[in-house]
Amino acid sequence: AQSVAQPEDQVNVAEGNPLTVKCTYSVSGNPYLFWYVQYPNRGLQFLLKYITGDNLVKGSYGFEAEFNKSQTSFHLKKPSALVSDSALYFCAVRDLSGGADGLTFGKGTHLIIQP
Amino acid sequence: GAGVSQSPSNKVTEKGKDVELRCDPISGHTALYWYRQSLGQGLEFLIYFQGNSAPDKSGLPSDRFSAERTGGSVSTLTIQRTQQEDSAVYLCASSLSSSGNTGELFFGEGSRLTVL
């Protein structure tokens, strides 16, 4: 079975500072990994994904994430946070070894960027 | 429309009533998913449709929940004899065919269900 853990319910960062939102995963095979963002009263929007290749992947709005196989992590990062980045962030995994076709999501992390 | 469309956006019902939630996926997307988002619980997978294949119902929490997809397009999620614990936001997502798909899902804005 596949699973995702987001250990922080909330992350607070001052505007202009770097941010990190943590994610670890568990799968039996090789993972596809994703980050989605949800703004208030909206559906989820795709940010970025890791399928294969370079461990550092870049996505929308200046976000990036680093795949670390040994630590089974896929932390979301941004060098300089904006107030508009404040939202709910979900990490998700899909197990390529034949797990559920849908994505398994973490519980989400509220990111709050303070002016 | 260009995106996934869900209706109603908000539904308030009384305990014991049946409700139907509708999802209209992106044209050409053969895979359709229903998720439930409860406060503090993240996204819970409910059911998955892929083309004409039998749906994956493994996430449905009870037999009060059912879903169908007509003509490979619009889907309806039905909750019978609603309970207060059914209160949540129900999200629909679609994607291109699952086989070989890298898994990017396109979500609707959800249907917020409140059971009194």
Side-chain angles (χ1 to χ4, degrees), chain A residues 2 25 40 44 46 59 61 68 78 82 92 99 103 107-108 111:
Chain A
Q2 55 198 38
Y25 66 90
L44 276 70
F46 170 79
Y61 311 121
N68 188 317
K78 186 173 182 179
L82 299 173
L103 299 182
K107 291 190 175 182
L111 176 63

Side-chain angles (χ1 to χ4, degrees), chain B residues 4 27 70 78 83 86 90-91 107 115:
Chain B
V4 177
S27 178
T70 54
T78 301
Q83 303 295 314
D86 299 335
Y90 290 82
L91 292 169
F107 283 83
V115 182

Side-chain angles (χ1 to χ4, degrees), chain B residues 32-34 45-49 55-60 66-67 77:
Chain B
L32 186 147
Y33 307 79
W34 283 98
F45 167 76
L46 297 177
I47 189 169
Y48 157 69
F49 296 90
D56 175 357
K57 303 179 181 180
S58 60
L60 294 178
S66 63
L77 176 69

Side-chain angles (χ1 to χ4, degrees), chain B residues 29-107:
Chain B
H29 282 192
T30 57
L32 186 147
Y33 307 79
W34 283 98
Y35 286 86
R36 179 167 69 176
Q37 184 177 17
S38 305
L39 191 62
Q41 297 299 315
L43 269 70
E44 175 188 6
F45 167 76
L46 297 177
I47 189 169
Y48 157 69
F49 296 90
Q50 171 56 46
N52 295 321
S53 302
D56 175 357
K57 303 179 181 180
S58 60
L60 294 178
S62 78
D63 59 6
R64 296 186 296 104
F65 287 72
S66 63
E68 63 177 21
R69 188 179 185 192
T70 54
S73 180
V74 172
S75 176
T76 302
L77 176 69
T78 301
I79 308 172
Q80 296 178 309
R81 305 181 302 282
T82 52
Q83 303 295 314
Q84 289 183 332
E85 60 263 29
D86 299 335
S87 296
V89 177
Y90 290 82
L91 292 169
C92 177
S94 69
S95 71
L96 294 170
S97 91
S98 177
S99 176
N101 178 28
T102 56
E104 181 180 344
L105 303 184
F106 295 82
F107 283 83

